[in-house]
Amino acid sequence: MPTYQAPLKDFRFVLNDLIQLDNYTNLPGFQDATRDTLDAILEEGAKFVQEVVQPINQVGDHEGCSWKNGEVTTPKGFKEAYAKYVEGGWSGLTAEPDFGGQGLPHIVGFVMSEMMTAANMAFAMYPGLSHGAYEAILKHGTDEQKKTYLPKLVEGTWTGTMNLTEPHCGTDLGLMRTKAEPQGDGSYSISGTKIFISAGEHDMAENIIHLVLAKIPGGPSGIKGVSLFIVPKFLVNADGSLGERNPVTCGSIEHKMGIHGNSTCVLNYDGAKGWLIGEEHKGMRAMFTMMNAARLGVGIQGLGVADVAFQNGAAYAKERLQMRSISGVKAPDKPADPIIVHPDVRRMLMQAKAFTEGARALALETGLKLDFAHRHPDPATRRECEDFVALITPMLKAYLTDMGYETATNAQQMLGGHGYIREWGMEQFVRDARIAMIYEGANGVQALDLVGRKLPEGMGRLLRSFFHPLDRFIQENMADPKFAKDYVMPLAKAFARLQQATAFIGEAGLKNADEAGAASSDYLKMFALVAMGQVWARSAKVAQEKLAQGAEDKAFYEAKLVTGRFFMERMLPETSGLLSKIQAGGESMMALPAEAF
Amino acid sequence: MPTYQAPLKDFRFVLNDLIQLDNYTNLPGFQDATRDTLDAILEEGAKFVQEVVQPINQVGDHEGCSWKNGEVTTPKGFKEAYAKYVEGGWSGLTAEPDFGGQGLPHIVGFVMSEMMTAANMAFAMYPGLSHGAYEAILKHGTDEQKKTYLPKLVEGTWTGTMNLTEPHCGTDLGLMRTKAEPQGDGSYSISGTKIFISAGEHDMAENIIHLVLAKIPGGPSGIKGVSLFIVPKFLVNADGSLGERNPVTCGSIEHKMGIHGNSTCVLNYDGAKGWLIGEEHKGMRAMFTMMNAARLGVGIQGLGVADVAFQNGAAYAKERLQMRSISGVKAPDKPADPIIVHPDVRRMLMQAKAFTEGARALALETGLKLDFAHRHPDPATRRECEDFVALITPMLKAYLTDMGYETATNAQQMLGGHGYIREWGMEQFVRDARIAMIYEGANGVQALDLVGRKLPEGMGRLLRSFFHPLDRFIQENMADPKFAKDYVMPLAKAFARLQQATAFIGEAGLKNADEAGAASSDYLKMFALVAMGQVWARSAKVAQEKLAQGAEDKAFYEAKLVTGRFFMERMLPETSGLLSKIQAGGESMMALPAEAF
C-alpha cells in the first residue's frame, strides 16, 4: 500500500530560503505568516494528511461513491475524515477573519492543497470546491449573501460547488440552456441539467451551496447572457437555520476512470430557488474568479499526485533487487542490485525530482504573487503581480497536470508489472492524475488562453512581468563562470528560444489566427519549461549561497544543485525541438479536410 | 460506445503500393500472398473483428475475468467469439501447413494482429500467446513434441502461455526459484510459483500448454542455469487424447488497471509433469524465440490501440459542436463549429494519423523483413533482414507502445470530460494501452537492449542494415527540390543527429557503461523517429508517384503527402532536443546518492 510523507524540508526550502516569506510579515495579512506559525502549520498539516487523509485514499478508489434515490454515500471513512478536517479548522486557513477564517496568505493554502491532494486527491476536492464558492461569494456577493453563506463555508459545515457544464456544452458555455426565471421577489427559478458537478451531492456536509450558471430569458444570446446564481441544497432561513429542500437533485453519478472517491454528479434543477450573484448577464466575470483560483488549484493537483507517485516509485526502486549495474556490482552482499542503480530508472527518478521540486517552487512563487496582487500596499507591485499570476495560470494548470500524469506514469513504470496491479496503488495515481488535464478548461484551452488572451493583453504587458525579471536575473548572474555555465547559460538559451517563438506567434498569428492556435500547446510547454528553468536557477543560487555559508544540511543543498543541473541538461533542451515545431507553422496541421480523418 | 473500422485502405497502401508484396510471390511461402488472397483476408478479417471481436471489448472491460476454486471464467461472449475464431481458421493463418496452418507470411499475421488488438486487446492476447508457444515448440521442440502439441495449437483448440516472472523476479530471470527435478523417465517434476501469466487459465480451450522456465538442480547458477519446459494443463495421452490433470493450478487472478478481459494468473506448480524443450540450461535461447516475436506483437498492440482510439476521437471531433474557429466561422448553419476546426484538436488528430500510419508502415516493413529472414533464398539477404529485425524490435516494442499510450491519451482528451467517463470507452483504451509499455521487457529494458546489445553487435553490423539503405535513399532523392525540401532534408538532418548520438554513445559508453544507459531511452526514441521518418519519406514518394500516374483515389494520396509533411515538421524535430539531452551525458543523472530520493 502506498505511503506519503509530506515534503516538509522542501516546503521550508521554498518558503524560507527561496521566497523568504518572513521578509514580508510587515504586509497586511502576512503578520501571522511568521516562520514559527508556518512551521506549526506544516507540521500539523502533514500529520493530519498522513494520519487521516492518506489512509483512506485507496479504499476511496476501490469503493467509490454510491448513488441511491438521489442520495450519495461517500466511501468508508470519508465522512469521519471530513469531520476531523472541519474540527481542525483547516477549512478556514486562508479565509477572511470577518467570516471566521484565519486570514493566512494564499501561499499557505497552496502548501496545504499540495499535501491534501498528494494524500488523497478525491477527498481533497470536496473542500477545494468549497473554497471556489467562497471566493465567488466573497468577491461578488451582497453583504447579505456573504453573511448568510460565508461563515458556514469557512467553517466547512457547508460545502460548495461550481455548475458550468451541460451535456452539450463544456468549453462553450454560450450554448447553455439552463434557465433562470425571475420570481419578482428577488429570487429566480432555476431549471435545467448540469453535468460533471464534482462534490455535487454527498453525505459529509449539512448543506451544499451550488453556484450555477444560467440564462435569464430575454437576455443577450450566447456567453453574454449568462448569469451566476446561488442555489443552496437547503434553503436558509432568516435566522440561519436550514429550511426546505430546494428542488435540485442528483440524478446519477458518473463512473469514471479515477477520483472514484469524489462524487461527480448530474444535477437536475426543477424550478430550484436561486439568487443572482453579481450583475445580471455578467455571470462569466464572477465565474472566472472561481475558475482562475480553480485552475491554480488543479495545477497543484498535478504536482501533488506527481509527488506521491514519485515517493512510492523511489521507495520501490531502492528496495527491489533486479540485475547488476552495468557499470559494476553495487551491492555485492545481495543477489542483485537495487534497481535505483540502473540509469534508466534513475532518469525517471531525477525527472520526477526535478519536476516536483521545480513545480513546487513555481507554484509557491505564484501563490506569493497572488497574495501580493491582493495585499501589497504598492499599486504598481499589485498590478505587476496580478499580471504575473494571469500569465502563469494557464501554464501552471496545463504543464503541471501534463507532467503530473507523465510523472505518475513513470513512477508506475518503475514497479514493472506490479505497477499495473491495483493493490500496489500506483495505477490509481495515474488514473487520478488524468482528470486534471481535462477539467477546469482542458489543457488545449489553457494553451489558447495563453497565446490568444494573455500574450496580446496590454501589448505584451503580462509578458513583461515575466521577461523583465528573468532578463535581469540572467544579466546579474553571468559573473560566476561555473554557475553561469551550469545554470544561467542553458536558461538564457532557452529564454532566447522563447523570445523567438513569441515573435513568431505574434507575427504569424496576426496574419492567420490559426497559426497562433497551431503553436499554442508547444508554446505553452516551452514557456513553462523556461519558467521552471528560472526557479531552478534561483534555487541553485540559493543552495550555493547556503553551502558557502556552511549550512547544516549540506546533502540537501548539494542535491538541489545536482537536480537543478539535471533540469538544465536533461529537461530544458526540449525547448529546441519545440521551437522548430512552432516555426514550421500550422499549414500541414490544418491542410486536410475533415473527411480525411 | 466506441466503434472500429479496420483501416483497409491504408493496409492496401502499405502492402500494395509501398512494400509491393506481389513482387515477391516467387519466394517460398509467398506463393499464396497474392493481391487477391490478401484482399480476401483483409476483408474477411475486418468483418470478423468488427462483427465478433469488437462488440465484446467494452463488456470484457466492465465484467472482467472471475476466479473461483482455480477456475477462470472469461467475460460474457469471449468463449463464443473464440470458438468462431477457431472455426474461421484464424488461428493457423501464418502457421506451417505441416501442422495444419495456412503458411502465409508473417506480414499477413501482423495485419491480423493489428486488427484484433484494435478491436479488443484483451481478447486478442489469448491467441497471441498461443502463437508464441507455437513458435518456441516449432523451433526448439523434438519431432515428437511438435507432433503432440502443434496441430492443436495451430487449430486453436488448445492455447499456450509463457511462464517467466516470479514474485521476486521479472527482468532478472537469473534469480528464479522454480525447480525442475528429472524423474528418470525423460520427464521433470516442476515446482514453484509463476505470476503475471497472461491467459494462464481460462474457459475457452480444451487444454493449455504452458511453456515454463525453471532450474534443474545442480545446474549453473543464474541465468545460465535456466531451462525451458512444456507443461500441459492436461497431460496428453499417446493417442492424442487428454489424460490426467497436471498439478498446475491457478491460485488467483490479478486485479489490473486494464485488459480486464484477459486473465492474468498466479500459477502454482506443485510437482507438475513437464518435458524439457531444447537443451538443458539453454532455456533463455528458446525463450528469446518467443520473446522476440512477442515484442513485435506488443509493439503492434500499441499501434492497434492507438488506431481505434484515434478513430473514435476523430469521430467525436467531427460531431461535437463547441466554440467558433478562431480564424472565422466554419459552420454558420450550426450553433457552433465542430471541434475539428480548432488547431489544438487538429494537432492531436494529425499526430495520431502520422503516428498510426507511419507505425503501420514500419511494422509491416519489419514483418516483411522477418519473412525474408526466414524464407529468402539469398543468405546475405536473410542475414541483412535478420539484422534489421533484431535492430528494430526494441524500437517497435518501446516507441509504438509509448506512442500508443500517448495517442490513446490524446484521443481521450478530445472528448473533454466525456473522455474520463467509463461508458464512452475512451479511458479503457488508455488503461489497456498502458500495459504494453511494461510487459515483455519494460520499455527501459528495450532501450538498454538497443544500446547495450544491438548497437555493438558485430561492430555495428546491425546498424548498417538500417543506416546504409537510408543513406542511399537520401542520396537518391535530393534531385527533386520540392520533395527534397519537404521530406528528404528534414530526414537527413534527423539522421545526422542520430549518427552524432550514436558516435557519442559509442565513445562515452566505452569509458563508462552508465553513459550508454543514461542515453538509452532518449536514443531509442530518436532512432525510432528517424525510422518513422524514413517510412514516411518513402510513403510520400510513392504517393507522389501515384498522383503523377493519375491514381484514382487522389484525396488519399494527397493526405499521405500532407501527413508525411506534418511528421517531418511537427514530430521529427524532437530529435534536436533529444540529441542535446544525450550529449549532456549522464553525470547529473547518476550523481545523487540513493538517500537523496
Side-chain angles (χ1 to χ4, degrees):
Chain A
M1 202 167 129
T3 58
Y4 174 63
Q5 291 294 317
L8 296 187
K9 203 184 270 191
D10 203 50
F11 280 132
R12 289 198 183 100
F13 169 77
V14 178
L15 296 174
N16 300 335
D17 297 345
L18 184 67
I19 288 182
Q20 304 183 0
L21 201 56
D22 46 8
N23 281 352
Y24 305 109
T25 45
N26 59 327
L27 290 190
F30 280 69
Q31 295 90 341
D32 294 334
T34 62
R35 197 172 284 214
D36 285 350
T37 311
L38 285 180
D39 254 351
I41 292 172
L42 284 178
E43 296 285 350
E44 281 305 305
K47 197 164 165 259
F48 176 74
V49 303
Q50 288 166 199
E51 292 176 6
V52 177
V53 181
Q54 196 273 338
I56 53 171
N57 184 46
Q58 209 168 8
V59 68
D61 182 61
H62 293 187
E63 213 174 275
C65 293
S66 53
W67 177 94
K68 204 175 163 186
N69 301 329
E71 305 280 320
V72 172
T73 308
T74 52
K76 198 167 168 232
F78 270 47
K79 202 171 164 171
E80 294 73 15
Y82 187 74
K84 284 186 191 159
Y85 180 84
V86 171
E87 196 186 302
W90 294 109
S91 184
L93 206 59
T94 60
E96 294 286 330
D98 286 354
F99 302 105
Q102 297 178 54
L104 284 163
H106 280 103
I107 190 171
V108 182
F110 278 36
V111 170
M112 192 64 193
S113 287
E114 186 195 320
M115 293 197 282
M116 284 281 285
T117 300
N120 190 332
M121 178 166 161
F123 179 84
M125 288 171 69
Y126 291 98
L129 283 150
S130 295
H131 196 74
Y134 161 84
E135 289 272 336
I137 297 174
L138 182 72
K139 300 244 169 68
H140 304 280
T142 62
D143 285 345
E144 183 62 26
Q145 287 170 338
K146 291 185 203 174
K147 207 180 113 248
T148 307
Y149 300 105
L150 293 188
K152 293 289 192 176
L153 282 171
V154 169
E155 193 178 81
T157 41
W158 298 357
T159 62
T161 71
M162 288 167 66
N163 288 237
L164 291 78
T165 308
E166 299 182 9
H168 61 288
C169 70
T171 303
D172 194 352
L173 293 170
L175 301 174
M176 103 177 17
R177 291 177 195 151
T178 298
K179 264 187 211 145
E181 308 256 9
Q183 299 297 295
D185 62 351
S187 77
Y188 292 76
S189 171
I190 315 282
S191 298
T193 297
K194 294 287 181 179
I195 63 167
F196 300 160
I197 309 308
S198 298
E201 179 58 49
H202 59 83
D203 54 3
M204 311 195 306
E206 294 164 12
N207 200 4
I208 302 176
I209 310 305
H210 303 294
L211 292 206
V212 185
L213 287 180
K215 283 185 169 178
I216 299 168
S221 68
I223 198 74
K224 289 182 176 135
V226 166
S227 307
L228 183 64
F229 298 88
I230 302 181
V231 186
K233 176 178 168 186
F234 290 101
L235 299 181
V236 182
N237 297 325
D239 65 354
S241 64
L242 297 186
E244 63 179 303
R245 180 72 163 83
N246 212 357
V248 41
T249 50
C250 176
S252 64
I253 57 174
E254 307 285 354
H255 296 99
K256 310 182 298 290
M257 183 183 195
I259 52 165
H260 294 160
N262 199 274
S263 64
T264 305
C265 303
V266 174
L267 289 185
N268 297 318
Y269 291 84
D270 301 309
K273 232 179 168 62
W275 287 271
L276 185 70
I277 177 165
E279 293 172 53
E280 270 192 4
H281 315 314
K282 306 281 185 193
M284 288 310 290
R285 195 188 292 171
M287 191 47 90
F288 262 106
T289 302
M290 293 170 77
M291 201 115 80
N292 281 329
R295 285 175 176 181
L296 292 172
V298 171
I300 291 171
Q301 288 182 330
L303 163 60
V305 179
D307 191 39
V308 68
F310 164 44
Q311 289 186 20
N312 286 282
Y316 185 88
K318 288 191 271 188
E319 286 285 326
R320 173 79 168 177
L321 307 176
Q322 209 78 173
M323 308 297 284
R324 291 299 182 184
S325 161
I326 48 175
S327 59
V329 173
K330 300 290 188 287
D333 53 324
K334 293 186 176 145
D337 290 332
I339 62 170
I340 196 171
V341 307
H342 303 313
D344 199 64
V345 172
R346 187 60 79 103
R347 174 184 64 82
M348 294 189 283
L349 286 171
M350 283 303 294
Q351 192 174 305
K353 190 171 167 67
F355 165 66
T356 51
E357 294 181 9
R360 183 173 296 127
L362 185 61
L364 292 180
E365 180 181 32
T366 308
L368 182 75
K369 302 239 171 167
L370 186 63
D371 283 314
F372 282 5
H374 288 130
R375 301 177 174 193
H376 202 281
D378 172 37
T381 304
R382 280 207 302 276
R383 176 59 174 268
E384 206 184 289
C385 290
E386 204 176 301
D387 286 351
F388 180 91
V389 174
L391 178 71
I392 222 87
T393 295
M395 289 182 241
L396 275 193
K397 197 287 178 180
Y399 178 72
L400 266 58
T401 60
D402 280 344
M403 287 297 293
Y405 181 64
E406 186 175 322
T407 305
T409 299
N410 280 342
Q412 179 191 22
Q413 189 76 11
M414 290 175 210
L415 274 77
H418 301 291
Y420 200 66
I421 307 299
R422 268 180 89 181
E423 65 177 302
W424 286 81
M426 299 302 287
E427 56 94 43
Q428 183 192 345
F429 298 136
V430 176
R431 289 185 288 102
D432 285 355
R434 182 68 185 91
I435 188 59
M437 299 152 78
I438 298 173
Y439 61 17
E440 302 305 340
N443 285 358
V445 173
Q446 304 301 324
L448 201 57
D449 176 50
L450 178 62
V451 301
R453 207 175 304 202
K454 303 298 168 65
L455 284 201
E457 195 165 323
M459 304 284 283
R461 198 191 69 236
L462 269 51
L463 267 189
R464 289 192 288 277
S465 72
F466 179 86
F467 279 16
H468 286 180
L470 176 52
D471 215 22
R472 266 199 307 280
F473 178 86
I474 291 171
Q475 301 300 331
E476 288 166 7
N477 287 281
M478 283 298 198
D480 174 350
K482 172 90 173 91
F483 186 80
K485 179 182 156 290
D486 287 351
Y487 305 98
V488 190
M489 286 303 299
L491 178 58
K493 255 195 217 171
F495 183 36
R497 289 183 191 125
L498 177 62
Q499 290 169 302
Q500 278 179 272
T502 307
F504 176 87
I505 291 173
E507 204 171 318
L510 268 188
K511 286 181 209 140
N512 178 357
D514 278 343
E515 283 292 335
S520 60
S521 276
D522 291 327
Y523 181 74
L524 181 143
K525 183 161 201 192
M526 184 183 215
F527 206 142
L529 282 164
V530 174
M532 291 280 285
Q534 63 90 16
V535 284
W536 263 119
R538 285 169 39 224
S539 296
K541 194 178 175 193
V542 167
Q544 187 167 289
E545 285 163 4
K546 286 280 162 187
L547 286 168
Q549 290 157 16
E552 248 175 67
D553 197 349
K554 219 174 141 216
F556 177 84
Y557 293 110
E558 278 169 354
K560 276 282 169 210
L561 285 171
V562 170
T563 311
R565 205 145 47 71
F566 178 86
F567 183 86
M568 301 298 171
E569 293 175 357
R570 288 272 173 177
M571 295 174 78
L572 197 52
E574 213 186 322
T575 48
S576 78
L578 291 168
L579 178 60
S580 304
K581 290 187 200 184
I582 290 168
Q583 289 179 328
E587 191 273 332
S588 66
M589 191 185 289
M590 304 304 290
L592 292 183
E595 310 84 71
F597 296 95
Chain B
M1 202 167 128
T3 58
Y4 173 63
Q5 290 294 317
L8 296 187
K9 204 184 268 193
D10 203 50
F11 280 132
R12 290 198 182 100
F13 169 77
V14 178
L15 296 174
N16 300 336
D17 297 345
L18 184 66
I19 289 182
Q20 304 183 0
L21 200 56
D22 46 9
N23 282 352
Y24 305 110
T25 45
N26 58 327
L27 291 190
F30 279 68
Q31 296 88 342
D32 295 333
T34 61
R35 197 172 284 216
D36 285 350
T37 310
L38 285 179
D39 253 350
I41 292 171
L42 284 177
E43 296 284 351
E44 281 305 305
K47 199 163 165 258
F48 176 73
V49 304
Q50 288 166 196
E51 291 176 8
V52 177
V53 181
Q54 196 273 339
I56 54 172
N57 183 48
Q58 208 168 11
V59 69
D61 181 62
H62 293 186
E63 212 175 275
C65 293
S66 53
W67 176 94
K68 204 174 164 187
N69 302 327
E71 306 279 319
V72 172
T73 308
T74 52
K76 197 167 168 233
F78 271 47
K79 203 172 164 170
E80 294 74 14
Y82 187 74
K84 285 186 192 161
Y85 180 83
V86 171
E87 196 187 303
W90 294 109
S91 186
L93 205 59
T94 60
E96 294 286 330
D98 287 354
F99 302 105
Q102 297 178 53
L104 284 162
H106 280 103
I107 190 171
V108 182
F110 277 35
V111 170
M112 192 64 192
S113 287
E114 187 195 319
M115 292 197 283
M116 284 280 285
T117 300
N120 190 332
M121 177 166 161
F123 179 84
M125 288 171 69
Y126 292 97
L129 283 150
S130 295
H131 196 75
Y134 160 84
E135 289 271 337
I137 298 174
L138 181 73
K139 300 244 170 69
H140 305 280
T142 63
D143 284 346
E144 183 62 25
Q145 288 170 336
K146 290 184 203 174
K147 206 180 113 249
T148 307
Y149 300 105
L150 293 188
K152 295 288 193 177
L153 282 171
V154 169
E155 192 177 81
T157 41
W158 297 357
T159 62
T161 71
M162 289 167 66
N163 288 238
L164 292 77
T165 308
E166 298 183 10
H168 61 288
C169 70
T171 303
D172 194 352
L173 293 170
L175 301 174
M176 107 177 15
R177 293 178 194 148
T178 298
K179 263 185 214 148
E181 309 257 10
Q183 299 298 295
D185 63 351
S187 78
Y188 291 76
S189 170
I190 316 282
S191 299
T193 297
K194 295 286 182 179
I195 63 167
F196 300 159
I197 309 308
S198 298
E201 179 57 49
H202 59 82
D203 55 2
M204 309 196 308
E206 294 164 11
N207 201 4
I208 301 177
I209 309 307
H210 303 293
L211 292 206
V212 185
L213 287 181
K215 284 185 168 177
I216 299 168
S221 69
I223 199 74
K224 289 182 177 136
V226 166
S227 307
L228 184 64
F229 298 88
I230 301 181
V231 186
K233 175 177 168 185
F234 290 101
L235 299 182
V236 182
N237 297 325
D239 65 355
S241 64
L242 296 186
E244 64 178 303
R245 180 73 163 83
N246 212 356
V248 40
T249 50
C250 176
S252 64
I253 57 174
E254 307 286 353
H255 296 98
K256 309 182 298 291
M257 184 184 194
I259 51 165
H260 294 159
N262 200 274
S263 64
T264 305
C265 302
V266 174
L267 288 186
N268 298 317
Y269 291 84
D270 301 308
K273 230 178 171 63
W275 287 270
L276 185 70
I277 177 165
E279 293 173 53
E280 271 193 3
H281 315 313
K282 305 281 187 197
M284 288 311 290
R285 197 188 290 170
M287 191 46 91
F288 262 106
T289 303
M290 293 171 76
M291 201 115 79
N292 281 329
R295 285 175 176 181
L296 293 172
V298 172
I300 292 171
Q301 289 182 329
L303 163 59
V305 180
D307 191 39
V308 68
F310 165 44
Q311 290 186 20
N312 287 282
Y316 186 87
K318 288 190 270 187
E319 286 284 325
R320 174 78 168 178
L321 306 177
Q322 209 78 174
M323 307 298 284
R324 290 299 180 183
S325 160
I326 49 175
S327 60
V329 174
K330 299 288 187 289
D333 53 325
K334 293 185 176 146
D337 289 332
I339 62 170
I340 197 172
V341 307
H342 303 312
D344 200 64
V345 172
R346 187 61 78 102
R347 174 184 65 83
M348 295 189 283
L349 286 171
M350 283 303 294
Q351 192 174 303
K353 189 171 168 66
F355 165 65
T356 50
E357 294 182 10
R360 183 172 297 127
L362 185 60
L364 292 180
E365 180 180 33
T366 307
L368 182 75
K369 303 239 171 169
L370 187 64
D371 283 314
F372 283 4
H374 289 131
R375 303 178 172 192
H376 203 281
D378 172 36
T381 304
R382 280 206 303 275
R383 177 58 175 269
E384 207 183 288
C385 289
E386 204 176 300
D387 287 351
F388 180 91
V389 173
L391 177 72
I392 222 86
T393 294
M395 289 181 239
L396 275 192
K397 198 287 178 179
Y399 178 72
L400 265 57
T401 60
D402 280 345
M403 286 298 293
Y405 181 63
E406 187 176 321
T407 305
T409 298
N410 280 342
Q412 179 191 22
Q413 189 77 10
M414 290 175 210
L415 276 77
H418 301 292
Y420 201 65
I421 307 299
R422 271 180 87 179
E423 64 177 304
W424 285 81
M426 299 302 288
E427 57 94 43
Q428 184 193 345
F429 297 135
V430 176
R431 290 186 287 100
D432 285 355
R434 182 68 185 89
I435 188 58
M437 299 152 77
I438 298 173
Y439 61 17
E440 302 305 340
N443 286 356
V445 174
Q446 303 301 323
L448 201 58
D449 177 50
L450 177 63
V451 300
R453 208 175 302 204
K454 303 297 168 65
L455 284 201
E457 196 165 321
M459 304 284 283
R461 198 191 68 237
L462 270 51
L463 266 189
R464 289 191 289 276
S465 73
F466 179 87
F467 279 16
H468 286 181
L470 176 54
D471 217 21
R472 266 199 307 280
F473 178 86
I474 290 171
Q475 301 301 330
E476 289 167 6
N477 287 280
M478 282 298 199
D480 172 352
K482 172 90 174 88
F483 186 79
K485 178 183 157 289
D486 286 351
Y487 305 99
V488 191
M489 287 303 301
L491 178 58
K493 255 194 216 172
F495 183 36
R497 288 183 191 125
L498 177 63
Q499 289 168 304
Q500 278 178 274
T502 307
F504 175 87
I505 291 173
E507 203 170 318
L510 269 188
K511 288 180 210 142
N512 178 357
D514 278 343
E515 283 292 335
S520 60
S521 275
D522 291 328
Y523 181 75
L524 181 143
K525 183 161 200 192
M526 186 185 215
F527 206 142
L529 281 164
V530 174
M532 292 279 286
Q534 63 91 16
V535 284
W536 263 119
R538 285 170 39 225
S539 296
K541 195 180 172 190
V542 168
Q544 189 168 286
E545 286 162 4
K546 286 280 163 186
L547 286 168
Q549 290 157 17
E552 247 176 66
D553 198 349
K554 218 173 143 218
F556 177 84
Y557 293 109
E558 278 169 353
K560 276 281 170 212
L561 285 170
V562 170
T563 311
R565 204 145 48 70
F566 177 87
F567 184 86
M568 301 298 170
E569 294 176 357
R570 288 271 174 179
M571 295 174 77
L572 197 53
E574 214 186 322
T575 48
S576 79
L578 292 168
L579 178 62
S580 303
K581 290 187 201 185
I582 291 169
Q583 288 179 329
E587 191 273 332
S588 65
M589 192 185 288
M590 304 305 290
L592 292 183
E595 311 84 71
F597 297 95

